[in-house]
Amino acid sequence: MKKILAAIACAALVAACSTTPTDEGAAVESRTPGTGATGQAVPGGGVTGTPIGGGAVDPLKDPSSPLAKRSVYFDFDSDAIRAEFKPLLDAHAKYLRETAAAKTLLQGHADERGSREYNLALGQRRADAVRRYLVFAGAPESRIEAVSLGEEKPVCTEKTEECYARNRRVDILYQGEF
Amino acid sequence: MLHVLRALALALVLAAGPAAAQLSIEITGGGANQIPIAVVPFAGEGALAQPLTDVIDADLRASGRFRTLYTGPQNLNEASPIDFATWRGRNADALVVGGVYPLPNGRYEVRFRLYDVPKQVSLGGLALAMSPQQARATAHRIADFVYEKLTGDRGVFSTRIAYVVKSGPRYELQIADADGQNPQAALVSREPIISPAWSPDGNRIAYVSFENKKPVVYVHNLATGQRQAVANFKGSNSAPAWSPDGRLLAVVLSRDGGTQIFVMNADGSGVRRLMSTSAIDTEPQFSPDGQFVYFTSDRGGSPQIYRVPAAGGDAQRVTFEGTYNVSPRLSPDGRQLAFIRRDGGRFQLAVMDLATRQTQVVGEGPRDESPSFAPNGKTLIHATETNGRGFLATTSSDGRVKQRLSVPAADVREPAWGPFPPAN
C-alpha cells in the first residue's frame, strides 16, 4: 500500500515538475515563488496544463522545446526586449499563430523598490512590450492578455541587485496555467 | 473563589480574543507643548473587564499632545467638589473625573466631567449609556471629547484603520480600531491584496485583489461582507480612489493600452477616460473639494506628482525636487500633500504645504510607502520596513510624534485611515 502511495505521489510530482519549466533557476510558474505567496489559489483549477493534440508530447511541456521557456527578463527601469529573448518570443508567437485554441496571459513584474501601484504600472509596461512583440511577430492579439502583478509576486526575496533583476520579468502562461 | 473568578475571567478573555493577530503599539517620539492631564479612575469602573480610564489615558498619551499624570484611586466622581489647589500642586492643567453606574438589563451609564484646573472651571461632560461590550468605544468617545475641548481639533480615537497583513501565503484585509485593537478580517485570500480605500461614509472599502491571477478592483460592503468587482476589464485594474461625495471612483486601467486613469460611477458603470497620454498615469486621488485629481506620472521622464481638473483638462506638475515622487495623498483640509520621495536610494514620507511649496521629510525611511492622513489631518499613517518585516508607523504631520504598529511574525502594509464615524 505504501509503495502504491509513493508511486502516485511520485507520478504527481513528475507531472507537476513538467508544468514548471525553469529559466536561470527562476520558477516560471507563479505558484512556486520563493515567498510562498501563492501556494493554493483561492479560485481556479490545478496547475496541470491541458495537452494539445492527442498522443504527441505537448510542446509547452517539452523541455527541449523553446516553448518551455516562459520568462523574459528586463533591465532596470526598462521595458526593452533584450535580443537574447527574441528567439523565445518568436517561438511563442508562432505557437499562438498555429494553435487556434491557445490563449496566453502575460504577467509583468517589477522589483520591490518603491510604490506598489507605480510598480504595477512598470510591470504592465513590460507585459505590454511582450504583447506588442508577439503581435508584431504574427500572434493574434485577441488571444493575448497582458496584465501586471507589480512587485507582489517576486521569485526572489533577497535585497540584492541580482535578485531584483530576476524579479523584473514577464511570465508567459497558457490556458490551464492561470 | 477569587481564583475561580480569575480563571473564569481569563477563559472569557481568551474566548472573546480577536480572531486576527493583534497589532501592538509602541510610541517612539514625544511632542512639544504637551498638556499635562490627570484622568482619575472612574468610580465603579472596577465592575468592567477593563477600566475605561486606562483606555482614555492610553488614547491621550498616544496622540502625542498630552502628558498623562498617574493619580491612583481618588474617591472622586463627576459630582464631587474639586480641590483645584491640590491638582495645581500636582501640575495638572486638566482633570477628568467620572463614574460608571449599573442600569437595568446589564447596561451601564457613564458620566464624566472635564475641568480646566488653572481657570478652575468645568469644560463640560457627557452621560453615555453602554453595554459592557461597548466599553472601549465609550472610552474612545470620552477621549475624543477631551481632545477636542483642549486642542480645538476633532479627535480620531473612534475611527478605524484598514491594512493588509501577509503571513506566509495568507493575505488578510483587516479593519481595526485606530489604536490597533479589535482587528477583524474583511477578506482572506491566498493572493495579494493592495490599495484599500475607504468610501467617504466609511461603509465600503475599495481595493485591488489578485485572486484571479490579475489585478481587479472590488468594492466591499463592510457591514454585509458583500463585494462586487467594479473594474474587471482586459488587462490590469487598480488604484481605486473615491470622490469626496462617494459617487465616483477614479481607477487605473490598462484596457486601452498603457496605464491610464479613468473615472466611473462607484458601481462600475459610466467608465470614461480622464486623460490620454503615452506615459504611466497612476495613483489618482481626488482633492477634498472634488475639483482636482492628483496623480503620479512619468510623462516628464521620471515619476512625479501632477494634478488635473476632475472634469478633465490640462495637467499641472506639483513636485519638482528629486527624480522620484509618488503616492500623493491630500490632507482633509486640502492644504497639505503627503507623498513618498526617493532620495539617495531611501524612500521617505514627505509633506508639502501646497500654498508655500515647502516640503518637509517626516518619515524615517528607508522604505516608506502608502501614506494616509487621519481624518483630522493631525496624523499620518504609512507602511515601512525594518529587517525585511513590514510594519505601520504613525507620525504627527509635523513629524514629531511617532508610533509603530506591528503584528508578530507577519508583514503589515497598505494602511488606509478611515473617516470620522457618523455623528450620533
Side-chain angles (χ1 to χ4, degrees):
Chain A
M1 184 60 189
K2 246 185 192 165
K3 273 188 193 165
I4 295 169
L5 281 179
I8 291 170
C10 194
L13 263 179
V14 170
C17 283
S18 69
T19 64
T20 55
T22 57
D23 185 49
E24 299 175 1
V28 168
E29 229 291 334
S30 67
R31 278 156 205 274
T32 53
T35 55
T38 30
Q40 301 90 312
V42 178
V47 187
T48 45
T50 320
I52 293 158
V57 177
D58 181 353
L60 294 175
K61 295 178 188 169
D62 178 359
S64 67
S65 162
L67 297 175
K69 290 198 189 298
R70 300 294 189 79
S71 290
V72 178
Y73 297 89
F74 293 82
D75 292 338
F76 175 69
D77 203 23
S78 169
D79 62 348
I81 308 283
R82 283 162 24 193
E84 65 198 278
F85 295 109
K86 289 183 177 171
L88 182 163
L89 291 177
D90 289 336
H92 282 284
K94 180 168 181 281
Y95 177 77
L96 281 163
R97 196 169 60 235
E98 293 174 353
T99 315
K103 280 189 184 173
T104 186
L105 180 68
L106 307 173
Q107 291 180 330
H109 300 266
D111 72 43
E112 67 180 43
R113 293 169 291 182
S115 150
R116 289 178 189 276
E117 284 287 353
Y118 190 68
N119 285 337
L120 198 76
L122 291 177
Q124 184 67 39
R125 191 175 263 173
R126 290 176 181 136
D128 282 340
V130 170
R131 176 177 52 83
R132 278 195 305 273
Y133 186 95
L134 292 175
V135 171
F136 182 74
E141 185 156 22
S142 61
R143 288 192 270 121
I144 304 173
E145 181 171 13
V147 304
S148 179
L149 305 187
E151 66 175 89
E152 308 305 324
K153 291 285 185 164
V155 289
C156 183
T157 55
E158 289 154 42
K159 296 185 190 308
T160 61
E161 285 304 326
E162 188 201 352
C163 196
Y164 294 149
R166 287 174 59 195
N167 290 336
R168 291 191 299 268
R169 70 191 193 281
V170 171
D171 292 336
I172 304 166
L173 279 70
Y174 285 94
Q175 208 165 16
E177 298 169 345
F178 55 86
Chain B
M1 183 58 191
L2 205 57
H3 280 288
V4 175
L5 278 179
R6 274 204 195 127
L8 268 178
L10 186 63
L12 281 174
V13 167
L14 290 176
Q22 194 79 51
L23 281 167
S24 66
I25 296 199
E26 179 192 330
I27 301 171
T28 58
N33 307 319
Q34 293 173 323
I35 301 167
I37 186 168
V39 182
V40 177
F42 287 179
E45 70 178 357
L48 303 171
Q50 183 181 21
L52 294 174
T53 50
D54 283 4
V55 179
I56 299 167
D57 200 282
D59 279 350
L60 295 174
R61 211 161 1 102
S63 75
R65 299 177 77 175
F66 294 87
R67 187 157 47 83
T68 59
L69 310 173
Y70 176 75
T71 71
Q74 293 288 327
N75 203 19
L76 288 175
N77 64 29
E78 73 288 351
S80 307
I82 302 299
D83 176 3
F84 288 105
T86 303
W87 292 104
R88 281 203 86 159
R90 291 189 178 202
N91 294 318
D93 281 1
L95 176 70
V96 183
V97 292
V100 176
Y101 308 98
L103 295 173
N105 57 42
R107 292 169 64 82
Y108 293 90
E109 183 171 86
V110 180
R111 297 197 292 268
F112 72 94
R113 191 167 288 281
L114 169 67
Y115 290 98
D116 180 324
V117 174
K119 290 185 183 159
Q120 307 198 1
V121 293
S122 164
L123 298 175
L126 293 172
L128 304 162
M130 67 170 198
S131 69
Q133 292 75 30
Q134 294 167 320
R136 290 193 70 89
T138 302
H140 292 319
R141 281 197 62 188
I142 296 169
D144 282 334
F145 179 95
V146 171
Y147 182 95
E148 184 163 355
K149 286 285 179 194
L150 296 177
T151 70
D153 298 315
R154 196 164 166 192
V156 292
F157 307 116
S158 300
T159 60
R160 294 185 292 174
I161 49 174
Y163 51 89
V164 175
V165 177
K166 176 179 187 292
S167 45
R170 184 183 167 93
Y171 296 82
E172 282 191 27
L173 174 64
Q174 292 188 2
I175 315 294
D177 295 346
D179 62 357
Q181 299 286 318
N182 193 28
Q184 299 184 24
L187 180 70
V188 179
S189 176
R190 307 287 285 193
E191 298 293 343
I193 304 163
I194 63 169
S195 305
W198 290 84
S199 65
D201 63 7
N203 293 331
R204 290 166 293 168
I205 289 189
Y207 54 78
V208 178
S209 168
F210 291 73
E211 65 203 59
N212 291 320
K213 306 296 177 186
K214 59 178 267 189
V216 172
V217 177
Y218 290 82
V219 169
H220 190 119
N221 184 311
L222 290 175
T224 65
Q226 284 188 325
R227 64 200 197 111
Q228 182 196 355
V230 293
N232 186 11
F233 297 100
K234 188 174 183 180
S236 298
N237 309 266
S238 70
W242 297 86
S243 64
D245 63 8
R247 289 174 47 237
L248 302 175
L249 278 175
V251 292
V252 168
L253 309 177
S254 73
R255 65 170 201 181
D256 298 346
T259 293
Q260 296 277 286
I261 298 170
F262 293 72
V263 176
M264 60 188 205
N265 299 322
D267 64 0
S269 66
V271 180
R272 59 194 182 274
R273 192 161 170 172
L274 185 58
M275 289 168 288
S276 256
T277 70
S278 58
I280 289 173
D281 288 346
T282 188
E283 301 189 305
Q285 286 283 310
F286 283 91
S287 60
D289 62 8
Q291 295 297 301
F292 291 94
V293 173
Y294 284 70
F295 62 101
T296 304
S297 176
D298 71 347
R299 59 184 67 192
S302 67
Q304 298 289 346
I305 295 164
Y306 294 76
R307 71 173 196 182
V308 65
D314 292 332
Q316 293 172 286
R317 187 163 163 178
V318 177
T319 54
F320 291 92
E321 274 177 67
T323 57
Y324 190 100
N325 293 302
V326 300
S327 306
R329 306 284 194 275
L330 278 296
S331 63
D333 64 6
R335 292 182 184 165
Q336 292 180 303
L337 176 74
F339 60 100
I340 302 296
R341 156 168 296 176
R342 186 182 64 203
D343 194 358
R346 292 174 71 82
F347 296 86
Q348 288 176 291
L349 173 64
V351 178
M352 179 192 285
D353 180 312
L354 286 169
T356 65
R357 301 270 160 159
Q358 279 200 323
T359 299
Q360 194 187 357
V361 172
V362 299
E364 291 170 351
R367 288 176 174 273
D368 293 350
E369 281 182 8
S370 306
S372 176
F373 272 101
N376 67 358
K378 296 294 162 186
T379 309
L380 279 153
I381 192 165
H382 68 279
T384 188
E385 196 182 298
T386 31
N387 303 323
R389 276 262 315 280
F391 62 92
L392 307 183
T394 66
T395 181
S396 54
S397 49
D398 63 3
R400 274 185 165 141
V401 186
K402 296 179 192 301
Q403 287 182 60
R404 97 190 340 219
L405 298 89
S406 55
V407 170
D411 262 314
V412 195
R413 66 236 331 229
E414 298 292 274
W417 207 314
F420 285 120
N424 49 357

